[in-house]
Amino acid sequence: MFETFFKNYTFQSPLMNASGVHCMTIEELDEMADSKAGTFVTKSVTRQKRQGNPEPRYYGTPLGSINSMGLPNLGFDYYLDYVSKRQKTVSQPIFFSVASMSMEENIETLKKLEDSDFQGFTELNLSCPNVAGKPQVAYDFDLTENILTEVFSFFTKPLGVKLPPYFDIAHFDQMATILNQFPLAFVNSINSVGNGLIIDPEKEQVVIKPKEGFGGIGGQYIKPVALANVRVFYTRLNPSIQIIGTGGIVSGQDAFEHLLCGASMLQIGTQLYKEGTSVFARILAELEVIMKAKGYTNIEQFRGKLKTIEE
């Protein structure tokens, strides 16, 4: 019922983690592998081990979360060693996330990945909103085009990009025009909504320490924005570029809506952080109830078939 076709592979479920959640250590990655997720993505890597921003840097709320993690990770070699060993025994491809501190470092990391034995999917994060002093690359359209031109001059393995949310139709059109120039495997939309602010009214202060309390907003707050971005790129990108939907997936209903908008895979971040890997089994069970009630026996029967209101 949940078989998902992504490029040349069939996954048993469309669900996976969002990079940054439950993927820091080998232990967490193994727990992802043993869950009901179809596959998983590594922590976004930098060249060397990185501590990230000072604590507290994550805060959960009833409707989602705010975070300013600052790319904490155990370094490129740690994750490459893990995925290289795992792919020798498991045929299901893994996603490897790259989001370094500079584009020069990203290029260097991708060249190492190109020369390695890694056979999965690479996710190039162009949208990290939580590194102090670093703007989001994907809001600079010329820079994004230049980076992708350089990347695809040497990178031959399946690669996709993780994008921030866009809010204007003109920007949707501009970015789609740029992305359609390249042999991307996928687009992941969206990353957290950058530079939100959550306040503790009792203490009369912000709830996270980095960036004077500003951070990326995730969870239910951002689902309408995520659905809009998924739908826009599904209808504007070349059919060969598949969509990973991310943002506000808490229930089977949320997953159904992302799929209806055209997503092929779904990443879960905030709710996975709150609930642990059991979230995947629960959401799939809820999705199954919805699909059976509607008479759907597989995802492809409704994926991308969102209706508009006609006259």
Side-chain angles (χ1 to χ4, degrees):
M1 173 174 262
F2 302 122
E3 278 193 340
T4 298
F5 306 104
F6 195 82
K7 310 320 286 183
N8 296 324
Y9 296 94
T10 301
F11 295 97
Q12 295 307 304
S13 155
L15 303 183
M16 58 188 294
N17 64 311
S19 180
V21 184
H22 216 94
C23 56
M24 174 73 88
T25 64
I26 286 173
E27 291 74 22
E28 287 184 332
L29 290 167
D30 282 344
E31 288 174 6
M32 281 299 309
D34 292 336
S35 74
K36 291 296 184 180
T39 184
F40 56 92
V41 60
T42 67
K43 192 76 180 67
S44 293
V45 303
T46 50
R47 186 169 45 210
Q48 304 295 332
K49 180 179 178 180
R50 181 175 163 81
Q51 292 297 322
N53 291 338
E55 304 273 3
R57 57 194 184 187
Y58 172 93
Y59 185 85
T61 73
L63 289 177
S65 65
I66 185 171
N67 85 86
S68 182
M69 303 302 287
L71 294 177
N73 72 99
L74 297 173
F76 174 81
D77 292 337
Y78 179 91
Y79 299 102
L80 182 62
D81 180 65
Y82 176 84
V83 298
S84 295
K85 289 176 179 176
R86 183 165 183 82
Q87 70 186 11
K88 292 175 183 176
T89 59
V90 180
S91 60
Q92 209 77 305
I94 300 167
F95 287 69
F96 194 97
S97 179
V98 174
S100 298
M101 295 300 295
S102 69
M103 279 305 114
E104 292 77 17
E105 188 177 328
N106 269 335
I107 297 298
E108 181 182 325
T109 301
L110 289 173
K111 285 181 176 177
K112 287 184 177 180
L113 210 53
E114 172 74 11
D115 294 337
S116 75
D117 63 353
F118 176 61
Q119 297 300 316
F121 293 99
T122 300
E123 179 180 278
L124 175 60
N125 189 342
L126 298 178
S127 59
C128 185
N130 300 317
V131 177
K134 301 289 184 180
Q136 292 197 52
V137 169
Y139 284 146
D140 184 328
F141 296 114
D142 291 337
L143 179 59
T144 298
E145 185 172 2
N146 291 340
I147 288 167
L148 291 177
T149 299
E150 183 171 358
V151 167
F152 282 108
S153 72
F154 67 87
F155 200 81
T156 62
K157 297 177 179 182
L159 179 137
V161 291
K162 187 169 187 178
L163 297 177
Y166 298 97
F167 303 97
D168 192 287
I169 296 297
H171 294 158
F172 288 137
D173 291 339
Q174 281 181 270
M175 182 51 66
T177 299
I178 290 168
L179 298 176
N180 277 332
Q181 298 175 40
F182 300 97
L184 289 162
F186 65 91
V187 164
N188 182 355
S189 186
I190 57 173
N191 206 333
S192 56
V193 174
N195 294 312
L197 191 68
I198 290 176
I199 294 170
D200 182 333
E202 295 299 319
K203 295 181 179 179
E204 300 182 11
Q205 70 176 22
V206 299
V207 296
I208 59 173
K209 184 174 182 178
K211 295 173 61 179
E212 298 184 335
F214 288 82
I217 301 296
Q220 289 172 277
Y221 295 114
I222 70 169
K223 189 181 80 167
V225 177
L227 292 176
N229 278 258
V230 167
R231 187 60 182 173
V232 158
F233 286 118
Y234 178 74
T235 57
R236 283 164 172 75
L237 293 182
N238 297 329
S240 59
I241 304 175
Q242 291 182 262
I243 311 296
I244 298 178
T246 307
I249 299 176
V250 174
S251 67
Q253 181 69 44
D254 301 325
F256 179 80
E257 292 176 15
H258 266 270
L259 294 165
L260 195 63
C261 284
S264 293
M265 301 285 288
L266 309 174
Q267 290 188 356
I268 300 173
T270 295
Q271 197 61 27
L272 171 59
Y273 188 99
K274 292 181 175 183
E275 196 171 327
T277 55
S278 63
V279 69
F280 299 111
R282 177 183 63 77
I283 287 178
L284 286 176
E286 293 171 1
L287 179 58
E288 181 177 8
V289 171
I290 294 168
M291 288 174 62
K292 285 184 174 179
K294 292 176 174 289
Y296 295 129
T297 57
N298 65 73
I299 287 171
E300 288 304 312
Q301 290 172 335
F302 65 90
R303 189 181 65 80
K305 296 179 181 177
L306 180 68
K307 301 170 187 174
T308 56
I309 299 173
E310 304 295 338
E311 289 292 338

